[in-house]
Amino acid sequence: GVTWGNPEGHGLAIIMMKLRNGDHSMYAQTVEQCSKLINGTKKALKVAEQDPFAYTEDEIRHLKRSLRSLYEQRKYLNSGNGFGND
């Protein structure tokens, strides 16, 4: 996977990502993993808002895109019948 970090050490701005099929989006297999990634991504975006030099425009765009994807993943993971969705 790829690790993003903020060199200034602002809070929990480290995002772990698993690459799948050339897609650079974040992927979680459980609701708990998904929620942790969502919280970490939101914190990274908050840091980016407060410190304009913390991330590049491409990184911010990637974080926002990943956040939307994570919300969709969490919704899918929560929609199961209790026996898993895979």
Side-chain angles (χ1 to χ4, degrees):
V2 174
T3 305
W4 271 3
N6 189 345
E8 288 82 27
H10 295 294
L12 182 65
I14 298 172
I15 306 298
M16 299 296 288
M17 289 183 279
K18 180 178 178 182
L19 303 180
R20 63 180 172 147
N21 300 333
D23 180 16
H24 300 301
S25 63
M26 294 177 216
Y27 182 72
Q29 293 183 352
T30 66
V31 175
E32 182 180 4
Q33 289 174 341
C34 202
S35 294
K36 286 181 181 180
L37 285 171
I38 287 170
N39 288 336
T41 304
K42 287 170 65 174
K43 286 181 182 183
L45 286 169
K46 184 179 270 192
V47 167
E49 186 178 299
Q50 294 171 351
D51 181 5
F53 300 107
Y55 296 97
T56 65
E57 289 297 318
D58 286 340
E59 289 171 330
I60 293 170
R61 193 172 19 255
H62 178 76
L63 285 169
K64 288 180 179 181
R65 196 175 303 129
S66 296
L67 186 60
R68 281 193 300 273
S69 174
L70 285 167
Y71 280 129
E72 290 174 15
Q73 288 176 42
R74 186 169 66 179
K75 182 178 177 182
Y76 171 76
L77 290 170
N78 278 325
S79 70
N81 59 4
F83 295 101
N85 293 323
D86 293 333

Coordinates of all heavy atoms in Angstrom, one line a residue:
G1 N 0.8 -1.2 0.0 CA 0.0 0.0 0.0 C 0.9 1.2 0.0 O 2.1 1.2 0.1
V2 N 0.2 2.4 -0.1 CA 0.9 3.7 -0.1 C 0.5 4.4 1.2 O -0.6 4.3 1.7 CB 0.3 4.5 -1.3 CG1 0.9 5.9 -1.3 CG2 0.7 3.8 -2.6
T3 N 1.5 5.1 1.7 CA 1.3 5.8 3.0 C 1.5 7.3 2.7 O 2.5 7.7 2.1 CB 2.3 5.4 4.1 OG1 2.2 4.0 4.3 CG2 2.0 6.2 5.4
W4 N 0.5 8.1 3.0 CA 0.6 9.5 2.9 C 0.8 10.1 4.3 O 0.2 9.7 5.2 CB -0.7 10.1 2.4 CG -0.8 10.3 1.0 CD1 0.0 9.8 0.0 CD2 -1.9 10.8 0.3 NE1 -0.4 10.1 -1.2 CE2 -1.7 10.7 -1.1 CE3 -3.1 11.4 0.6 CZ2 -2.5 11.2 -2.1 CZ3 -4.0 11.9 -0.3 CH2 -3.7 11.7 -1.7
G5 N 1.7 11.0 4.4 CA 1.8 11.6 5.7 C 2.1 13.1 5.6 O 2.5 13.6 4.6
N6 N 1.9 13.8 6.7 CA 2.2 15.2 6.7 C 3.5 15.4 7.4 O 3.6 15.1 8.6 CB 1.0 15.9 7.4 CG 1.1 17.4 7.3 OD1 2.1 17.9 7.0 ND2 0.0 18.1 7.7
P7 N 4.5 15.9 6.7 CA 5.8 16.1 7.3 C 5.8 16.9 8.6 O 6.7 16.8 9.4 CB 6.7 16.7 6.2 CG 5.7 17.2 5.2 CD 4.4 16.5 5.4
E8 N 4.9 17.9 8.7 CA 4.9 18.7 9.9 C 4.3 18.0 11.1 O 4.3 18.5 12.2 CB 4.0 20.0 9.7 CG 4.8 21.0 8.8 CD 4.6 20.6 7.3 OE1 3.6 20.0 6.9 OE2 5.5 21.0 6.5
G9 N 3.7 16.8 10.9 CA 3.1 16.0 12.0 C 1.8 16.5 12.5 O 1.5 16.4 13.7
H10 N 1.0 17.1 11.7 CA -0.3 17.6 12.1 C -1.3 16.4 12.4 O -1.8 15.8 11.5 CB -0.9 18.5 11.0 CG -0.2 19.7 10.7 ND1 0.0 20.7 11.6 CD2 0.5 20.1 9.6 CE1 0.7 21.7 11.1 NE2 1.1 21.3 9.9
G11 N -1.5 16.2 13.6 CA -2.5 15.2 14.0 C -2.4 13.9 13.3 O -1.4 13.4 13.1
L12 N -3.5 13.3 13.0 CA -3.6 12.0 12.4 C -3.8 12.2 10.9 O -4.8 11.9 10.3 CB -4.8 11.2 13.0 CG -4.9 9.8 12.4 CD1 -3.7 8.9 12.8 CD2 -6.2 9.2 13.0
A13 N -2.8 12.8 10.2 CA -2.9 13.1 8.8 C -2.2 12.0 8.0 O -1.8 12.2 6.9 CB -2.3 14.4 8.5
I14 N -2.1 10.8 8.5 CA -1.5 9.7 7.8 C -2.6 8.8 7.3 O -3.4 8.3 8.1 CB -0.5 8.9 8.7 CG1 0.6 9.8 9.1 CG2 0.0 7.7 7.9 CD1 1.5 9.2 10.1
I15 N -2.6 8.6 6.0 CA -3.7 7.8 5.4 C -3.0 6.5 4.8 O -2.1 6.6 4.0 CB -4.4 8.6 4.3 CG1 -4.9 9.9 4.8 CG2 -5.5 7.7 3.7 CD1 -5.9 9.7 6.0
M16 N -3.5 5.4 5.1 CA -3.0 4.1 4.5 C -3.9 3.8 3.4 O -5.1 3.8 3.6 CB -3.0 3.0 5.6 CG -2.0 3.3 6.7 SD -0.3 3.4 6.3 CE 0.0 1.7 6.0
M17 N -3.4 3.4 2.3 CA -4.2 3.1 1.1 C -3.8 1.8 0.5 O -2.6 1.5 0.5 CB -4.1 4.2 0.1 CG -4.8 5.4 0.5 SD -4.7 6.6 -0.8 CE -3.1 7.2 -0.6
K18 N -4.8 1.0 0.1 CA -4.5 -0.2 -0.6 C -4.9 0.0 -2.1 O -6.0 0.4 -2.4 CB -5.3 -1.4 0.0 CG -5.1 -2.7 -0.7 CD -6.0 -3.8 0.0 CE -5.8 -5.1 -0.8 NZ -6.6 -6.1 -0.2
L19 N -3.9 -0.2 -2.9 CA -4.2 0.1 -4.4 C -4.8 -1.2 -4.9 O -4.4 -2.3 -4.7 CB -2.9 0.4 -5.1 CG -2.1 1.5 -4.5 CD1 -0.8 1.7 -5.4 CD2 -2.9 2.8 -4.6
R20 N -5.8 -1.0 -5.7 CA -6.5 -2.2 -6.4 C -6.7 -1.8 -7.8 O -7.4 -0.8 -8.1 CB -7.7 -2.6 -5.6 CG -8.8 -1.6 -5.6 CD -10.0 -2.0 -4.9 NE -10.9 -0.8 -4.8 CZ -12.2 -0.8 -4.9 NH1 -12.8 -1.9 -4.9 NH2 -12.8 0.3 -4.8
N21 N -6.3 -2.6 -8.7 CA -6.5 -2.5 -10.2 C -6.2 -1.1 -10.7 O -6.9 -0.6 -11.5 CB -7.9 -2.9 -10.5 CG -8.3 -4.3 -10.1 OD1 -7.4 -5.2 -10.0 ND2 -9.5 -4.6 -9.8
G22 N -5.1 -0.6 -10.3 CA -4.7 0.7 -10.8 C -5.5 1.9 -10.2 O -5.2 3.0 -10.5
D23 N -6.5 1.6 -9.5 CA -7.4 2.6 -8.8 C -6.7 3.0 -7.6 O -6.4 2.2 -6.7 CB -8.8 2.0 -8.5 CG -9.7 3.0 -7.9 OD1 -9.4 4.2 -7.9 OD2 -10.7 2.6 -7.3
H24 N -6.4 4.3 -7.4 CA -5.7 4.8 -6.3 C -6.6 5.2 -5.1 O -6.3 6.1 -4.3 CB -4.8 6.0 -6.6 CG -3.8 5.7 -7.7 ND1 -2.8 4.7 -7.5 CD2 -3.6 6.1 -8.9 CE1 -2.1 4.6 -8.6 NE2 -2.5 5.5 -9.5
S25 N -7.8 4.6 -5.0 CA -8.7 4.9 -4.0 C -8.5 4.0 -2.8 O -7.8 2.9 -2.9 CB -10.1 4.8 -4.4 OG -10.4 3.4 -4.8
M26 N -9.0 4.4 -1.6 CA -8.8 3.6 -0.4 C -9.9 2.5 -0.4 O -11.0 2.7 -1.0 CB -9.0 4.6 0.8 CG -8.0 5.6 0.9 SD -8.3 6.7 2.3 CE -7.7 8.2 1.6
Y27 N -9.5 1.4 0.2 CA -10.5 0.3 0.2 C -10.4 -0.3 1.6 O -9.4 -0.6 2.1 CB -10.1 -0.8 -0.8 CG -11.0 -1.9 -0.9 CD1 -12.2 -1.8 -1.4 CD2 -10.6 -3.2 -0.4 CE1 -13.1 -2.9 -1.5 CE2 -11.4 -4.2 -0.4 CZ -12.7 -4.1 -1.0 OH -13.5 -5.2 -1.0
A28 N -11.6 -0.6 2.2 CA -11.7 -1.2 3.5 C -12.6 -2.4 3.4 O -13.6 -2.5 2.5 CB -12.3 -0.2 4.5
Q29 N -12.4 -3.4 4.2 CA -13.2 -4.7 4.1 C -14.2 -4.7 5.2 O -15.1 -5.6 5.1 CB -12.2 -5.9 4.2 CG -11.4 -6.0 2.9 CD -10.5 -7.2 2.9 OE1 -10.4 -7.9 3.9 NE2 -9.8 -7.5 1.8
T30 N -14.1 -3.9 6.3 CA -15.1 -3.9 7.3 C -15.6 -2.5 7.6 O -14.9 -1.5 7.2 CB -14.5 -4.5 8.7 OG1 -13.5 -3.6 9.1 CG2 -13.9 -5.9 8.5
V31 N -16.7 -2.4 8.2 CA -17.3 -1.1 8.5 C -16.3 -0.3 9.4 O -16.1 0.9 9.3 CB -18.7 -1.2 9.2 CG1 -19.2 0.1 9.6 CG2 -19.6 -1.9 8.2
E32 N -15.7 -1.0 10.4 CA -14.8 -0.4 11.3 C -13.6 0.2 10.6 O -13.2 1.3 10.8 CB -14.3 -1.4 12.4 CG -13.4 -0.7 13.4 CD -12.9 -1.7 14.5 OE1 -13.3 -2.9 14.4 OE2 -12.2 -1.3 15.4
Q33 N -13.0 -0.6 9.7 CA -11.9 -0.1 8.9 C -12.3 1.1 8.0 O -11.5 2.1 7.9 CB -11.3 -1.2 7.9 CG -10.6 -2.3 8.6 CD -10.3 -3.4 7.6 OE1 -10.9 -3.5 6.5 NE2 -9.3 -4.3 7.9
C34 N -13.4 1.0 7.5 CA -14.0 2.1 6.6 C -14.1 3.4 7.5 O -13.7 4.5 7.0 CB -15.3 1.7 6.0 SG -15.7 2.5 4.5
S35 N -14.7 3.2 8.6 CA -14.9 4.4 9.5 C -13.6 5.0 9.9 O -13.5 6.3 10.0 CB -15.7 4.0 10.7 OG -17.0 3.6 10.3
K36 N -12.6 4.2 10.2 CA -11.3 4.7 10.6 C -10.7 5.5 9.4 O -10.1 6.6 9.6 CB -10.4 3.6 11.0 CG -10.7 3.1 12.4 CD -9.8 2.0 12.9 CE -10.1 1.5 14.2 NZ -9.2 0.4 14.7
L37 N -10.8 4.9 8.2 CA -10.2 5.6 7.0 C -11.0 7.0 6.8 O -10.4 8.0 6.4 CB -10.3 4.7 5.8 CG -9.3 3.6 5.7 CD1 -9.6 2.7 4.6 CD2 -7.9 4.2 5.6
I38 N -12.3 6.9 7.0 CA -13.1 8.2 6.8 C -12.6 9.2 7.8 O -12.4 10.4 7.4 CB -14.6 7.9 7.0 CG1 -15.1 7.1 5.7 CG2 -15.4 9.2 7.2 CD1 -16.5 6.6 5.9
N39 N -12.5 8.8 9.1 CA -12.0 9.8 10.1 C -10.6 10.3 9.8 O -10.4 11.5 9.9 CB -12.1 9.2 11.5 CG -13.5 9.0 12.0 OD1 -14.4 9.7 11.5 ND2 -13.7 8.0 12.9
G40 N -9.7 9.5 9.4 CA -8.4 9.9 9.0 C -8.4 10.8 7.8 O -7.6 11.9 7.8
T41 N -9.2 10.5 6.8 CA -9.3 11.4 5.7 C -9.9 12.7 6.0 O -9.4 13.8 5.5 CB -10.1 10.7 4.6 OG1 -9.6 9.4 4.3 CG2 -10.1 11.5 3.3
K42 N -10.9 12.8 6.8 CA -11.5 14.0 7.2 C -10.5 14.9 8.0 O -10.4 16.1 7.8 CB -12.8 13.8 8.1 CG -13.9 13.3 7.2 CD -15.1 12.8 8.0 CE -15.7 13.9 8.8 NZ -17.0 13.4 9.5
K43 N -9.7 14.2 8.9 CA -8.7 15.0 9.6 C -7.6 15.6 8.7 O -7.2 16.7 8.9 CB -8.0 14.1 10.7 CG -9.0 13.8 11.9 CD -8.3 13.0 12.9 CE -9.3 12.7 14.0 NZ -8.7 11.9 15.1
A44 N -7.2 14.8 7.7 CA -6.2 15.2 6.7 C -6.8 16.4 5.9 O -6.1 17.4 5.7 CB -5.8 14.1 5.8
L45 N -8.1 16.4 5.5 CA -8.7 17.5 4.8 C -8.8 18.7 5.7 O -8.6 19.8 5.2 CB -10.1 17.1 4.3 CG -10.0 16.1 3.1 CD1 -11.4 15.6 2.8 CD2 -9.5 16.8 1.9
K46 N -9.0 18.5 7.0 CA -9.1 19.7 7.9 C -7.7 20.3 8.0 O -7.6 21.6 8.0 CB -9.6 19.2 9.3 CG -9.8 20.4 10.2 CD -10.3 19.9 11.6 CE -11.8 19.9 11.6 NZ -12.3 19.7 12.9
V47 N -6.7 19.5 8.1 CA -5.3 20.0 8.1 C -5.0 20.8 6.8 O -4.4 21.9 6.8 CB -4.3 18.9 8.3 CG1 -2.9 19.4 8.0 CG2 -4.3 18.3 9.7
A48 N -5.5 20.3 5.7 CA -5.2 20.9 4.4 C -5.9 22.3 4.3 O -5.5 23.2 3.7 CB -5.7 20.0 3.3
E49 N -7.1 22.3 5.0 CA -7.9 23.6 5.0 C -7.2 24.6 5.9 O -7.1 25.8 5.5 CB -9.3 23.3 5.6 CG -10.2 24.5 5.5 CD -11.6 24.1 6.1 OE1 -12.2 23.2 5.5 OE2 -12.0 24.7 7.1
Q50 N -6.6 24.2 7.0 CA -5.9 25.1 7.9 C -4.5 25.5 7.4 O -4.0 26.6 7.7 CB -5.8 24.5 9.3 CG -7.2 24.3 9.9 CD -7.1 23.5 11.2 OE1 -6.0 22.9 11.5 NE2 -8.2 23.4 11.9
D51 N -3.8 24.6 6.7 CA -2.5 24.8 6.3 C -2.4 24.6 4.8 O -2.3 23.4 4.3 CB -1.5 23.9 7.0 CG 0.0 24.1 6.5 OD1 0.2 25.1 5.7 OD2 0.8 23.4 7.0
P52 N -2.5 25.6 3.9 CA -2.5 25.4 2.5 C -1.3 24.8 1.9 O -1.4 24.3 0.8 CB -2.7 26.8 1.9 CG -2.5 27.8 3.1 CD -2.5 27.0 4.3
F53 N -0.2 24.7 2.6 CA 1.0 24.1 2.1 C 1.2 22.6 2.5 O 2.2 22.0 2.2 CB 2.2 24.9 2.5 CG 2.1 26.3 1.9 CD1 1.9 27.4 2.8 CD2 2.3 26.6 0.6 CE1 1.8 28.7 2.3 CE2 2.2 27.9 0.1 CZ 1.9 28.9 0.9
A54 N 0.2 22.1 3.3 CA 0.4 20.7 3.8 C 0.2 19.7 2.7 O 0.9 18.7 2.7 CB -0.7 20.5 4.9
Y55 N -0.6 19.9 1.7 CA -0.9 19.0 0.7 C -0.9 19.7 -0.7 O -1.3 20.9 -0.7 CB -2.2 18.3 0.9 CG -2.2 17.4 2.1 CD1 -2.8 17.8 3.3 CD2 -1.7 16.1 2.0 CE1 -2.8 17.0 4.4 CE2 -1.7 15.3 3.1 CZ -2.3 15.7 4.3 OH -2.3 14.9 5.4
T56 N -0.6 19.0 -1.7 CA -0.8 19.6 -3.1 C -2.2 19.6 -3.5 O -3.1 18.9 -2.9 CB 0.1 18.9 -4.1 OG1 -0.5 17.5 -4.3 CG2 1.5 18.8 -3.7
E57 N -2.6 20.3 -4.5 CA -4.0 20.3 -5.0 C -4.4 18.9 -5.5 O -5.5 18.5 -5.3 CB -4.1 21.3 -6.2 CG -4.1 22.7 -5.8 CD -5.2 23.1 -4.9 OE1 -6.4 22.7 -5.1 OE2 -5.0 23.8 -3.9
D58 N -3.4 18.1 -6.1 CA -3.7 16.8 -6.5 C -4.0 15.9 -5.3 O -4.9 15.0 -5.4 CB -2.6 16.2 -7.3 CG -2.5 16.8 -8.7 OD1 -3.5 17.3 -9.2 OD2 -1.4 16.7 -9.3
E59 N -3.3 16.0 -4.2 CA -3.5 15.2 -3.0 C -4.8 15.6 -2.4 O -5.5 14.7 -2.0 CB -2.3 15.5 -2.0 CG -1.0 14.9 -2.5 CD 0.1 15.3 -1.6 OE1 0.1 16.4 -1.0 OE2 1.1 14.4 -1.5
I60 N -5.2 16.8 -2.4 CA -6.5 17.2 -1.8 C -7.6 16.7 -2.7 O -8.6 16.1 -2.1 CB -6.6 18.8 -1.7 CG1 -5.6 19.3 -0.7 CG2 -8.0 19.2 -1.4 CD1 -5.4 20.8 -0.6
R61 N -7.5 16.8 -4.0 CA -8.5 16.2 -4.9 C -8.6 14.7 -4.6 O -9.7 14.2 -4.6 CB -8.1 16.5 -6.3 CG -9.2 16.3 -7.3 CD -8.9 16.8 -8.7 NE -7.5 17.0 -9.0 CZ -6.9 18.3 -9.1 NH1 -7.6 19.3 -8.9 NH2 -5.6 18.4 -9.4
H62 N -7.5 14.0 -4.5 CA -7.5 12.6 -4.3 C -8.2 12.3 -2.9 O -9.0 11.3 -2.8 CB -6.1 12.0 -4.3 CG -6.0 10.6 -4.0 ND1 -6.3 9.6 -4.9 CD2 -5.6 9.9 -2.9 CE1 -6.2 8.4 -4.3 NE2 -5.7 8.6 -3.1
L63 N -7.9 13.0 -1.9 CA -8.5 12.8 -0.6 C -10.0 13.0 -0.6 O -10.8 12.1 -0.1 CB -7.9 13.7 0.5 CG -6.5 13.4 1.0 CD1 -6.0 14.6 1.8 CD2 -6.5 12.1 1.8
K64 N -10.5 14.0 -1.3 CA -11.9 14.2 -1.5 C -12.6 13.1 -2.2 O -13.7 12.6 -1.9 CB -12.2 15.6 -2.1 CG -11.9 16.7 -1.2 CD -12.1 18.1 -1.9 CE -11.8 19.2 -1.0 NZ -12.1 20.5 -1.7
R65 N -12.0 12.7 -3.3 CA -12.5 11.6 -4.1 C -12.6 10.3 -3.3 O -13.5 9.5 -3.3 CB -11.6 11.4 -5.4 CG -12.3 10.6 -6.4 CD -11.5 10.5 -7.7 NE -11.2 11.9 -8.2 CZ -10.0 12.3 -8.6 NH1 -8.9 11.5 -8.4 NH2 -9.8 13.5 -9.0
S66 N -11.5 10.0 -2.5 CA -11.4 8.9 -1.7 C -12.5 8.9 -0.6 O -13.1 7.9 -0.3 CB -10.0 8.7 -1.1 OG -9.1 8.5 -2.1
L67 N -12.7 10.1 0.0 CA -13.8 10.2 1.0 C -15.1 9.8 0.5 O -15.9 9.1 1.1 CB -13.8 11.6 1.6 CG -14.7 11.9 2.8 CD1 -14.3 11.0 3.9 CD2 -14.6 13.4 3.1
R68 N -15.5 10.3 -0.7 CA -16.8 9.9 -1.3 C -16.8 8.4 -1.5 O -17.9 7.8 -1.3 CB -16.9 10.7 -2.7 CG -17.4 12.1 -2.6 CD -17.8 12.7 -3.9 NE -16.8 12.6 -4.9 CZ -15.9 13.6 -5.1 NH1 -15.8 14.6 -4.3 NH2 -15.0 13.5 -6.1
S69 N -15.8 7.8 -2.0 CA -15.7 6.4 -2.2 C -15.9 5.6 -0.9 O -16.6 4.6 -0.9 CB -14.4 6.0 -2.9 OG -14.3 4.6 -3.0
L70 N -15.2 6.1 0.1 CA -15.3 5.4 1.4 C -16.7 5.5 2.0 O -17.2 4.5 2.6 CB -14.3 6.1 2.4 CG -12.9 5.7 2.2 CD1 -12.0 6.6 3.0 CD2 -12.6 4.2 2.6
Y71 N -17.4 6.6 1.8 CA -18.8 6.7 2.2 C -19.7 5.7 1.5 O -20.5 5.1 2.1 CB -19.4 8.1 2.0 CG -19.0 9.1 3.1 CD1 -18.4 10.4 2.8 CD2 -19.2 8.9 4.4 CE1 -18.1 11.3 3.7 CE2 -18.8 9.8 5.4 CZ -18.3 11.0 5.1 OH -17.9 11.9 6.0
E72 N -19.4 5.5 0.2 CA -20.2 4.5 -0.6 C -19.9 3.1 -0.1 O -20.8 2.3 0.0 CB -19.8 4.7 -2.1 CG -20.4 5.9 -2.7 CD -19.9 6.1 -4.2 OE1 -19.4 5.1 -4.7 OE2 -20.0 7.2 -4.7
Q73 N -18.6 2.9 0.2 CA -18.2 1.5 0.7 C -18.9 1.2 2.0 O -19.4 0.1 2.2 CB -16.7 1.4 0.8 CG -15.9 1.4 -0.5 CD -14.4 1.4 -0.2 OE1 -13.9 0.7 0.7 NE2 -13.7 2.1 -1.0
R74 N -18.9 2.2 2.9 CA -19.5 2.0 4.2 C -21.0 1.8 4.1 O -21.5 0.9 4.8 CB -19.2 3.2 5.2 CG -19.7 2.9 6.6 CD -19.2 3.9 7.6 NE -19.8 5.3 7.3 CZ -19.5 6.3 8.0 NH1 -18.7 6.3 9.0 NH2 -20.1 7.5 7.7
K75 N -21.6 2.5 3.2 CA -23.1 2.3 3.0 C -23.3 0.9 2.5 O -24.2 0.2 3.0 CB -23.6 3.3 2.0 CG -25.0 3.2 1.7 CD -25.5 4.3 0.7 CE -26.9 4.2 0.4 NZ -27.4 5.2 -0.6
Y76 N -22.5 0.4 1.6 CA -22.6 -0.9 1.0 C -22.4 -2.0 2.1 O -23.1 -2.9 2.3 CB -21.6 -1.2 -0.1 CG -21.6 -2.6 -0.6 CD1 -22.6 -3.1 -1.4 CD2 -20.5 -3.4 -0.3 CE1 -22.5 -4.4 -1.8 CE2 -20.4 -4.7 -0.7 CZ -21.5 -5.2 -1.4 OH -21.4 -6.5 -1.8
L77 N -21.3 -1.8 2.9 CA -21.0 -2.8 4.0 C -22.1 -2.8 5.0 O -22.4 -3.8 5.6 CB -19.7 -2.4 4.6 CG -18.4 -2.6 3.8 CD1 -17.2 -2.0 4.4 CD2 -18.2 -4.1 3.5
N78 N -22.8 -1.7 5.3 CA -23.8 -1.6 6.3 C -25.1 -2.2 5.8 O -26.1 -2.4 6.5 CB -24.1 -0.2 6.8 CG -23.1 0.2 7.8 OD1 -22.7 -0.6 8.7 ND2 -22.7 1.5 7.8
S79 N -25.2 -2.4 4.5 CA -26.5 -2.8 3.9 C -26.7 -4.3 3.8 O -27.7 -4.8 3.3 CB -26.6 -2.2 2.4 OG -25.7 -2.9 1.6
G80 N -25.8 -5.1 4.4 CA -25.9 -6.5 4.3 C -27.0 -7.1 5.2 O -27.6 -6.4 6.0
N81 N -27.2 -8.4 5.1 CA -28.2 -9.1 5.8 C -27.6 -9.8 7.0 O -28.3 -10.6 7.6 CB -29.0 -10.1 4.9 CG -28.0 -11.1 4.4 OD1 -26.8 -11.1 4.7 ND2 -28.5 -12.0 3.5
G82 N -26.4 -9.4 7.4 CA -25.8 -10.0 8.6 C -24.9 -11.1 8.2 O -24.2 -11.7 9.1
F83 N -24.8 -11.6 7.0 CA -24.0 -12.7 6.5 C -22.9 -12.2 5.6 O -22.3 -13.1 4.9 CB -24.9 -13.8 5.9 CG -25.8 -14.4 6.8 CD1 -27.1 -14.0 6.8 CD2 -25.4 -15.3 7.7 CE1 -28.0 -14.6 7.7 CE2 -26.3 -15.9 8.6 CZ -27.6 -15.5 8.6
G84 N -22.6 -11.0 5.5 CA -21.6 -10.5 4.6 C -22.1 -10.2 3.2 O -23.2 -10.6 2.8
N85 N -21.4 -9.4 2.5 CA -21.8 -9.0 1.1 C -21.0 -9.6 0.0 O -21.2 -9.3 -1.1 CB -21.8 -7.4 1.0 CG -22.8 -6.8 1.9 OD1 -23.9 -7.3 2.1 ND2 -22.5 -5.7 2.5
D86 N -19.9 -10.3 0.4 CA -19.0 -10.8 -0.6 C -19.3 -12.2 -1.0 O -19.8 -13.0 -0.3 CB -17.5 -10.7 -0.2 CG -17.1 -9.2 -0.1 OD1 -17.7 -8.4 -0.8 OD2 -16.2 -8.9 0.7

